[in-house]
Amino acid sequence: GAGVSQSPSNKVTEKGKDVELRCDPISGHTALYWYRQRLGQGLEFLIYFQGNSAPDKSGLPSDRFSAERTGESVSTLTIQRTQQEDSAVYLCASSRQGFNQPQHFGDGTRLSIL
Amino acid sequence: GENVEQHPSTLSVQEGDSAVIKCTYSDSASNYFPWYKQELGKRPQLIIDIRSNVGEKKDQRIAVTLNKTAKHFSLHITETQPEDSAVYFCAASAVSNYQLIWGAGTKLIIKP
C-alpha cells in the first residue's frame, strides 16, 4: 500500500515568507508526527496528533510554527516569517493507534531559506 | 521525562566485521525499542524493534538485545557490508503518551 506522502519534496523561499508543508499519512494511521532534521543532526520532535485528541505541541520552537490536521487525514505544517535557521528537512511520520506502534516516515520536505 | 543516550556517535568498521551500537534509557517503564536506519538523503526506516517481554530478537544479520535491569539495548550487525553504511537511530517508548524518545544517532562507516 501507499506510504506516507509529503509535499513538496523541496522548497526554496526567501527569508520572511510563509511556507506550508503537507503530509498525507498511511490510511488508517491515527497518529501523525512532525519532526525537524537539520543537516547531519538527529530527529527533533515538533508536534504530534492522535485521532481527535488535542495535539501535543510541546516541540514547536516558536509561535511562527503551527500545524493542523483534519480528522485522521492530511496534516499541514506552516512556518510564518521564515528565518534562515528554519532551513532543514521536515519529516512526517504516522503510526497505528495505541502504544508501541512503529512510526513510518515520509521522504521529507527539504526547506531552504535564502 | 525519558532520556535516551546513544553511543558511539561515529563507528568505523572493516567490511565483514561486526558493529555494535548501544543505547541507554532512563525510564524503567519504557517497553518498546525500535531501531531505524537512515541512508544519506533518505527517510528513516525501521529495521528491527523489540518489546520488553523478550531479551533478544534477530533478523538475518541484525539483532537487538535488551537488558531491562541495566536499562540498555544494543543493535548488532554481523558480516557488515557497504550497504550498511548509514546513520542508525535508536528510540524508546515514552511512558505517558504514544511518542518515541530518540537517540542522537550513530554514523556507521563500512571500510572496504
Side-chain angles (χ1 to χ4, degrees):
Chain A
V4 176
S5 178
Q6 290 188 246
S7 61
S9 55
N10 286 281
K11 177 72 176 179
V12 181
T13 192
E14 294 179 345
K15 176 183 172 181
K17 300 287 189 183
D18 297 352
V19 296
E20 190 173 278
L21 313 180
R22 176 188 169 107
C23 173
D24 204 341
I26 293 172
S27 178
H29 281 195
T30 60
L32 187 146
Y33 309 79
W34 283 100
Y35 295 93
R36 179 169 69 180
Q37 188 173 35
R38 291 197 166 106
L39 187 64
Q41 302 298 308
L43 302 171
E44 179 186 359
F45 166 75
L46 296 177
I47 189 168
Y48 155 67
F49 295 90
Q50 173 60 50
N52 294 316
S53 302
D56 178 350
K57 304 180 181 180
S58 60
L60 294 178
S62 77
D63 58 8
R64 297 187 295 106
F65 288 72
S66 62
E68 293 185 348
R69 186 182 187 194
T70 306
E72 296 181 356
S73 61
V74 171
S75 175
T76 55
L77 176 68
T78 300
I79 308 173
Q80 295 178 310
R81 306 181 301 282
T82 51
Q83 304 294 313
Q84 287 190 329
E85 62 262 29
D86 298 334
S87 295
V89 175
Y90 290 82
L91 289 162
C92 175
S94 70
S95 70
R96 295 183 185 279
Q97 185 174 6
F99 289 98
N100 304 339
Q101 298 296 326
Q103 296 181 17
H104 301 267
F105 285 84
D107 287 331
T109 293
R110 183 174 300 277
L111 177 64
S112 300
I113 310 299
L114 302 178
Chain B
E2 174 71 285
N3 182 51
V4 175
E5 293 190 359
Q6 184 171 348
H7 299 280
S9 56
T10 304
L11 177 61
S12 184
V13 301
Q14 205 70 38
E15 182 178 350
D17 288 350
S18 295
V20 181
I21 303 169
K22 182 175 176 178
C23 289
T24 59
Y25 59 99
S26 59
D27 195 328
S28 57
S30 289
N31 56 11
Y32 175 63
F33 308 92
W35 285 90
Y36 284 77
K37 175 183 180 182
Q38 187 177 31
E39 297 179 54
L40 190 63
K42 301 291 182 65
R43 69 176 78 180
Q45 290 193 299
L46 178 72
I47 54 171
I48 195 166
D49 57 10
I50 192 168
R51 289 172 170 76
S52 60
N53 57 341
V54 297
E56 182 176 3
K57 184 176 178 180
K58 297 179 78 171
D59 183 3
Q60 298 183 340
R61 294 187 299 110
I62 61 172
V64 55
T65 58
L66 172 64
N67 183 326
K68 289 189 291 182
T69 303
K71 291 189 287 187
H72 67 71
F73 56 110
S74 299
L75 177 70
H76 304 253
I77 306 174
T78 59
E79 301 172 11
T80 53
Q81 300 171 4
E83 55 264 35
D84 296 330
S85 293
V87 176
Y88 291 80
F89 292 98
C90 66
S93 57
V95 176
S96 58
N97 55 42
Y98 299 104
Q99 294 189 43
L100 294 174
I101 308 302
W102 295 86
T106 296
K107 182 175 183 179
L108 177 61
I109 300 167
I110 307 301
K111 297 181 290 186

